[in-house]
């Protein structure tokens, strides 16, 4: 049975319709108000944002990498400058037939298959207007071949810019370092869009890295009007880049190149310091790499040649090489004795060594009765063993530190090693062992735990020469005036007199005296043992090269009024007198008589197989023949900018 039927009246229907109409109208009004409010927000509050977005769709902004500031020597000669760079890029958005365009570019630019493969992969990953590098450092003929065919190659963008150039090549590699393309990690860290600009490079090592903020400059920009599909319509305007600052060094560019060449085929380093100001005039580490190759993009084969070389061409030996100083340390022991009040005329009898308990520490010979002057001249171990025992290691270490050993200097380089000047407290901390008298004897002649860098040895020589605590510097700013050493000048003169006798009397480096009228060099030779050899033999020609003793020399000239100080280390050179002292002699000769020094160098280079560039090219070719693959050797560009941009044993 069905229930009662509800009757719907006309009034009820009208009420229901009116309520629904009201709700619908309210909804429409709300939506309209929402739309109006949104439109007002977009047109007023967001006006600037969307205006910029619209402008960015219409205008393509491309950053122009800034020219790096020059690095010049003390006379304004270029050590690192810029040269014209021709490059070819691809704009992914504008490339219509990638396969055809790449085939044409490979033919015109003579690209290797590996390069074509690299470009193809980058082109597949790239989007929009971000350029993909094809080739850089092109010669004019290849660049022009692409330019004249540009209408047939949509998406190809020939560009003329600037690239880093090092006129002296490998001679300045470890001094200035090199530049390179920013890594993905560097971009993630900085988020700087300049890092993505084709052709932009930043400092990767040496002064290029340490002085990056000064050298970089400010990028320019180019605005181009484009269609919605990214095709260029017209150039709008261009803002020029602001070049980086020119950095002036204390370096003498001629001496720097001479030092690198004079080291020849040896593995070694040389440092020359102005004994009046502390300015570093040269710091060469050889063998080295060509920084032009690194800046242009080094090949795998060339990298393999450098990384496999046992002479370590990738290591800056001046700052990062550490060696036992050997007998070049003996002036520090002599100063410790003078500071302790020991009379320089006091004599010690040398009968061939020093007896300590049941152990006999040998000397270089039997020198008889020696005082300080004769001990330095003859490099008598027995005398310095005695002085070390009398003064104590704390006193010897304090004198060595005052001469600059064991120190890290405020120089604009990414890193430097400061070696070791040990004392009893140091040994207890490091080895949990007490200092022994035998340790003092070894340290007194520059052996044992003592390690020093070539730069520190040069600073030691400069402080002995000047009598001041000179501070080494490489930027041509105001020198730091160091205080006088706490040893009376007349007694410092006795040490210099002994070092004069080493070279100009009956000392260990008489074959290296300066062949200049009225100018004498004082110095101290040293030989540092690399490895203990059975039977008490030393590391001479009878052992493999890597086990031979190092040869060291420190010196200054003129003796009467020192102007320059020098330190030379020849790795595995076997003796300071035979390997290191002749190099120091020729470096100082260059400063007083350049033609005479060049004559000596040219005679040596004829024996060695040519100048530095010729020998490096021959070495690269020999390596290539072994690997049976081509290896490019970069050469400095002949077209740089015309002017800097504005803005104890053998001795």
């Amino acid at each position: 049975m069905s229930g009662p039927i509800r009757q719907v009246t006309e009034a009820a229907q009208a009420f229901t319709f009116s309520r629904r109409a009201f709700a619908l109208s309210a909804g429409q009004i709300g939506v309209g108000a929402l739309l109006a409010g949104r439109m007002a927000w977009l047109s007023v509050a967001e006006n600037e944002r969307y205006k910029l977005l619209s402008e960015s769709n219409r205008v393509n902004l491309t950053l122009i990498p800034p020219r790096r500031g020059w690095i010049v020597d003390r006379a304004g000669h270029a050590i690192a400058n810029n040269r014209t760079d021709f490059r070819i890029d691809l704009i992914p958005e504008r490339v219509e037939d990638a396969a055809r365009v790449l085939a044409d570019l490979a033919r015109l630019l003579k690209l290797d298959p590996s390069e074509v493969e690299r470009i193809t992969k980058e082109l597949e990953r790239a989007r929009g207007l971000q350029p993909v590098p094809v080739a850089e450092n092109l010669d004019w003929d290849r660049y022009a071949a692409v330019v004249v065919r540009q209408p047939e190659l949509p998406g190809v963008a020939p560009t003329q810019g600037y690239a880093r150039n090092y006129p002296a090549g490998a001679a300045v590699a470890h001094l200035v370092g090199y530049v390179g393309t920013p890594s993905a990690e560097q971009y993630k860290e900085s988020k700087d869009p300049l890092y993505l600009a084709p052709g932009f490079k930043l400092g990767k090592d040496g002064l290029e890295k340490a002085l990056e903020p000064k050298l970089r400059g400010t990028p320019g920009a180019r605005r181009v009007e484009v269609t919605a599909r990214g095709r260029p319509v017209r150039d709008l305007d261009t803002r020029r880049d602001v070049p980086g600052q020119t950095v002036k060094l204390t370096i003498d560019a001629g001496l720097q190149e001479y030092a690198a060449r004079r080291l020849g085929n040896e593995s070694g380093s040389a440092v020359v310091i102005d004994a009046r100001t502390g300015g570093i005039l040269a710091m060469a580490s050889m063998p080295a790499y060509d920084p032009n190759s690194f800046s242009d993009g080094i090949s795998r084969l060339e990298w393999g040649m450098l990384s496999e070389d046992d002479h370590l061409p990738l290591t800056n030996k001046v700052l990062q090489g550490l060696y036992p100083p050997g007998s070049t340390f003996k002036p520090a022991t002599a100063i410790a004795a003078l500071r302790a009040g020991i009379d320089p005329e006091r004599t010690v009898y040398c009968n061939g060594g020093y007896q300590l308990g049941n152990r006999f520490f040998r000397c270089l010979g039997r020198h008889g009765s020696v005082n300080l002057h004769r001990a330095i001249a003859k490099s008598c171990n027995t005398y310095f063993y005695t002085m070390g025992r009398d003064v104590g290691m704390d006193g010897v270490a304090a004198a060595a530190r005052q001469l600059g050993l064991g120190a890290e200097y405020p120089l604009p380089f990414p890193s430097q090693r400061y070696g070791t000047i040990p004392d009893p407290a140091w040994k207890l901390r490091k080895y949990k062992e007490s200092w022994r008298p035998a340790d003092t004897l070894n340290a007194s002649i520059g052996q044992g735990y003592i390690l020093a860098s070539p730069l520190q040895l040069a600073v030691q020589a400069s402080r002995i020469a000047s009598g001041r605590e000179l501070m080494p510097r490489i930027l041509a700013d105001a020198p730091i005036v160091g205080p006088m050493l706490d040893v009376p000048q007349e007694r410092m003169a006795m040490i210099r007199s002994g070092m004069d006798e080493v070279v100009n009397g009956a000392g260990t480096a008489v074959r290296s005296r300066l062949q200049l009228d009225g100018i004498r060099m004082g110095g101290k030779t040293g030989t540092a043992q690399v490895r203990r050899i059975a039977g008490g033999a030393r590391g001479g020609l009878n052992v493999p090269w890597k086990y031979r003793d190092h040869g060291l020399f420190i010196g200054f000239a003129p003796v009467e009024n020192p102007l320059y100080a020098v330190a030379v280390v020849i790795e595995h050179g076997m003796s300071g007198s035979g390997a290191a002292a002749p190099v120091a002699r020729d470096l100082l000769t260059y400063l007083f008589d350049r033609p005479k020094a060049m004559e000596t160098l040219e005679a040596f280079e004829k024996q060695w197989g040519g100048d530095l560039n010729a020998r490096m090219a021959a070495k690269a070719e020999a390596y290539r023949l072994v690997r049976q693959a081509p290896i490019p050797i970069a050469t400095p560009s002949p077209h740089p900018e015309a002017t800097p941009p504005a803005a104890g044993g053998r001795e």
Side-chain angles (χ1 to χ4, degrees), residues 22-40:
F22 177 79
L24 182 60
S25 299
Q28 290 175 334
I29 292 171
V31 171
L34 185 63
L35 291 175
R38 179 61 176 167
M39 290 175 64

Side-chain angles (χ1 to χ4, degrees), residues 68 71 80 136 164 166 172-190 194-196 199-213 215-216 289-298 303 314 316 320 412-415:
R68 291 182 72 80
I71 300 176
E136 57 184 351
R164 204 56 160 165
Y166 305 95
V172 299
H174 292 296
L175 170 66
V176 297
Y178 60 94
V179 298
T181 304
S183 64
E185 291 74 18
Q186 287 174 317
Y187 173 71
K188 289 178 182 177
E189 182 180 346
S190 70
L194 181 60
Y195 283 28
L196 300 176
F200 172 71
K201 294 180 180 178
L202 49 72
K204 294 284 189 175
D205 196 16
L207 294 176
E208 291 278 25
K209 180 178 181 180
L211 301 176
E212 176 66 23
L215 294 170
R216 178 180 298 186
Y289 56 87
D290 187 340
N292 292 295
S293 293
F294 274 71
S295 299
D296 295 341
I298 191 170
W303 172 257
L314 297 174
N316 184 348
Q320 297 174 332
F413 290 97
S415 65

